[in-house]
Amino acid sequence: MCESTNYTCHTEGACWTSVMLTNGKEEVIKSCISLLELKAQVYCHSSNNITRTECCHSDFCNNITLHLPAVSTRPSNFNHVELWVLVTIPICVLAIAIMLTAYTCQRRYCLYKRTRRQCNEEPLTDCNLDTDGKCLKDLIYDMSTSGSGSGLPLLVQRTIARTVIIQEVVGKGRYGEVWRGKWCGEDVAVKIFSSRDERSWFREAEIYQTVMLRHENILGFIAADNKDNGTWTQLWLVSEYHEQGSLYDYLNRTTLTIGGMMKLALSVVSGLAHLHMEIVGTRGKPAIAHRDLKSKNILVKKNETCAIADLGLAVKHDSITNTIDIPQNPRVGTKRYMAPELLDDSINMQHFESFKCADIYSLGLIYWEIARRCSVGGLVDEYQLPYYDMVPSDPSLDDMKRVVCDQKLRPNIPNQWQSFEALRVMGRIMRECWYANGKARLTALRIKKTISQLCVEEDFKL
Ligand code: ADP
Ligand code: MG
C-alpha cells in the first residue's frame, strides 16, 4: 500500500527514489516494487551528473529528498562557457609557448648558420665568428707557439681564405697574380695560381707549412685554399701583406743610409740562415734551399727589414736518408741569378749543400743591388739588376754562362766602397759569395755573424 502523494509505501519488496536532470531541472521519481517484481533486474544506487537513484527495503524508506551533485543543477549554458574557458585557455597558452620556442630556435639556428657563412652569403668583414674573435696576429701567434708548428688547421685556413675580399693586383710573377686582399679589416696578400699550375701551388703551400719554418724574415704564410667556382678552380695562397712590395721595387724608388743597408742585409741573411739550417728533434725543421733568390722574391716590411718569399722552388733535405724531397731539375731558378755550377751543369745534385751554396751566390748579387743604393758622401748609384752591363735584358742561359762561367766576370765593386767600413765589408762578403767553387763560399750563418758584428762596431741600432 502506497501514499499516492509521494509514492512511499509499505513494502516487502523494495522502494527507490530517483532524480534525473531533464531540461536543466531536477525531476524526481519515487516508487516501490513487490517481491515478485524484485526478481527482475532493478538498478539501484547509481549516481552521476544527470541521474541519481537510491533503493531501500523497509516501509516508507524512500521518503527522502535526493539531489543531483551541485554542478549539475546549474544552468547548462554556464557549463558550456566554463568548459570553453577551461579548454581554450590552456590550448592558447600552449600554442603561444610552442610559437615562442620555435621562434627562438629559428633565431639561434640562423645565428649559428651565419657564423658558418650559410645564412648570409655576404663575405664576413669582421673577425669574431669562426675564429673565436681572433685576428691574424693572434691566430699566427697561437700557431707558432702550440701544435705542430706547421700552420693553421686546414679548416681554419679554408675559412680565412673564403672570407678574404680581394682588392687590387700588386704583383705578377711566374705563376699568376698577387693581390692585396682584406681579411678581418687587415691586409693580406693572395697569390692566385691557375688550376694548370696546381703542382706549383701545392708545392709552395707544402714548403710554407714545413714544421717550424716560421721566422720574422720569411714571409708569413696564412692559408692555402682551392676554390671551385663551377667553371674553373682557383688556387689561393694567402700570406701576410707587405705594402712596400718587393726589395726590387723598394730599391728602385728609395736610397739607403748605411744603417738602412745593414738592416736590409742582416734581415735577408737571417731569413736565409733559418731556411738553410736543420733543426734536429721532434720540433725541428729540415734544411731548405730556396733556389730562386732574387730581389723580386724578397719583400720589404714596414720596419724596413726583409722577408724571403716565393718558396715555390725550394727543396728540403732529409738528413736521415740524405735525400732531397723532390726530383731535381738544376735549371729552375732565374737565369740572371744562377750560380756558375748551375749554368754549366756541373753542380753535384746528390749533395744537398750544393743547393745552399748556389743560394749564397744569389745572395751576393742581392747585396750588390742593395749596396749600390747606399748614399755615401752624397753619391748614390742608380738601381740596376746584376750583370745589367754585361748581358741583354732577358738573358738566355748561354748569355749568362758566357759571362759568369767562361769570362768569370762578376758585378763591379766600386772603389769608393773602400772608404766606408760597412761598404768595404759588404764588398768583401760579396766577393766571398761569388767564388766559382761553391764550397769556398761563405755560409749564411757566417755572413749573419759578420754583419751583426759590424753593426755593433759601427753602433748601428737595428
Ligand atoms: P711568383 O711565384 O709568381 O714569382 P711571387 O711570390 O714572387 O710570385 O710574387 C710576385 C710579386 O708579387 C712579388 O715580386 C711582389 O712584388 C708581389 N708580392 C708577392 N707577395 C707579396 C706580399 N706578401 N705582399 C706584397 N707584395 C707581394
Ligand atoms: Mg717570384
Side-chain angles (χ1 to χ4, degrees), residues 150-434:
S150 61
L152 289 167
L154 289 183
L155 207 63
V156 177
Q157 289 192 28
R158 173 158 288 192
T159 309
I160 292 173
R162 300 212 171 171
T163 48
V164 165
I165 303 162
I166 286 291
Q167 311 278 316
E168 66 191 316
V169 178
V170 292
K172 269 189 202 292
R174 242 169 326 152
Y175 295 117
E177 289 169 337
V178 178
W179 292 69
R180 181 175 66 81
K182 280 268 179 207
W183 185 78
C184 192
E186 292 175 73
D187 283 326
V188 290
V190 183
K191 185 165 168 178
I192 303 181
F193 297 68
S194 75
S195 49
R196 203 180 44 240
D197 296 318
E198 184 173 4
R199 283 167 64 136
S200 311
W201 164 79
F202 187 86
R203 178 66 183 163
E204 193 164 355
E206 183 183 46
I207 293 278
Y208 271 118
Q209 291 176 93
T210 303
V211 178
M212 304 313 284
L213 178 67
R214 203 155 268 281
H215 186 274
E216 60 180 324
N217 303 118
I218 293 175
L219 177 62
F221 171 81
I222 298 169
D225 186 29
N226 52 345
K227 286 191 194 185
D228 199 334
N229 71 359
T231 323
W232 74 89
T233 308
Q234 269 197 348
L235 305 166
W236 280 30
L237 282 188
V238 184
S239 64
E240 287 172 359
Y241 175 72
H242 298 298
E243 64 188 37
Q244 310 239 45
S246 69
L247 180 62
Y248 172 84
D249 299 329
Y250 182 80
L251 294 176
N252 264 282
R253 63 167 188 262
T254 326
T255 59
L256 303 168
T257 60
I258 288 202
M261 170 188 75
M262 306 293 282
K263 205 165 154 180
L264 291 176
L266 182 61
S267 58
V268 180
V269 78
S270 299
L272 189 63
H274 182 70
L275 208 59
H276 280 184
M277 181 167 44
E278 179 187 3
I279 302 174
V280 189
T282 41
R283 286 178 71 81
K285 74 171 265 300
I288 298 172
H290 188 286
R291 300 205 302 163
D292 196 17
L293 272 185
K294 57 177 176 176
S295 52
K296 286 183 182 168
N297 284 342
I298 292 170
L299 301 166
V300 179
K301 305 208 282 186
K302 248 201 194 102
N303 63 0
E304 256 89 28
T305 62
C306 294
I308 297 176
D310 198 354
L311 297 187
L313 290 176
V315 287
K316 296 192 213 181
H317 183 225
D318 182 336
S319 61
I320 295 170
T321 56
N322 190 27
T323 51
I324 296 168
D325 69 334
I326 52 162
Q328 291 311 296
N329 170 3
R331 304 254 170 109
V332 288
T334 304
K335 296 175 194 87
R336 188 184 292 274
Y337 288 83
M338 272 184 188
E341 63 275 20
L342 290 167
L343 292 168
D344 67 10
D345 217 358
S346 64
I347 188 168
N348 176 0
M349 296 213 300
Q350 308 316 312
H351 196 39
F352 184 75
E353 292 298 306
S354 315
F355 293 102
K356 288 165 57 170
C357 297
D359 277 352
I360 295 293
Y361 169 87
S362 313
L363 177 73
L365 297 180
I366 294 165
Y367 276 4
W368 179 85
E369 291 172 76
I370 295 174
R372 274 174 60 91
R373 300 297 282 151
C374 189
S375 170
V376 279
L379 290 175
V380 60
D381 287 317
E382 59 178 357
Y383 174 79
Q384 289 293 354
L385 282 166
Y387 301 108
Y388 74 101
D389 47 353
M390 302 174 214
V391 296
S393 63
D394 183 17
S396 66
L397 272 175
D398 279 344
D399 293 332
M400 291 310 304
K401 186 166 171 277
R402 194 181 61 251
V403 169
V404 177
C405 303
D406 305 342
Q407 299 174 18
K408 301 195 187 319
L409 293 174
R410 297 293 185 268
N412 177 45
I413 293 181
N415 283 335
Q416 67 263 28
W417 288 7
Q418 302 306 316
S419 326
F420 298 90
E421 175 63 4
L423 280 170
R424 201 180 57 74
V425 173
M426 287 299 286
R428 199 189 70 217
I429 292 173
M430 289 173 214
R431 277 197 206 92
E432 294 188 44
C433 289
W434 292 336

Side-chain angles (χ1 to χ4, degrees), residues 35-149:
L35 210 54
L36 205 66
E37 289 169 305
L38 199 58
K39 293 207 171 112
Q41 252 183 347
V42 175
Y43 296 99
C44 288
H45 304 299
S46 72
S47 178
N48 57 42
N49 283 347
I50 51 169
T51 63
R52 186 173 169 195
T53 305
E54 290 291 334
C55 294
C56 52
H57 302 275
S58 57
D59 296 343
F60 304 112
C61 66
N62 61 340
N63 188 13
I64 55 170
T65 305
L66 267 190
H67 286 292
L68 286 167
V71 63
S72 60
T73 61
R74 288 182 196 153
S76 63
N77 58 346
F78 185 76
N79 273 335
H80 287 149
V81 170
E82 196 175 57
L83 203 65
W84 186 85
V85 168
L86 277 173
V87 171
T88 312
I89 287 180
I91 288 176
C92 287
V93 169
L94 197 68
I96 290 169
I98 289 171
M99 275 156 61
L100 275 176
T101 313
Y103 177 73
T104 313
C105 286
Q106 202 258 344
R107 267 188 67 86
R108 277 171 176 261
Y109 181 63
C110 191
L111 215 62
Y112 167 79
K113 295 251 280 185
R114 237 172 83 85
T115 67
R116 303 262 153 230
R117 296 251 312 97
Q118 289 168 14
C119 226
N120 178 1
E121 282 308 313
E122 287 299 303
L124 296 172
T125 50
D126 56 358
C127 56
N128 55 3
L129 296 170
D130 289 45
T131 47
D132 290 339
K134 286 179 176 167
C135 283
L136 280 176
K137 281 201 176 66
D138 303 334
L139 286 170
I140 290 164
Y141 177 78
D142 286 359
M143 156 175 49
S144 52
T145 52
S146 64
S148 65

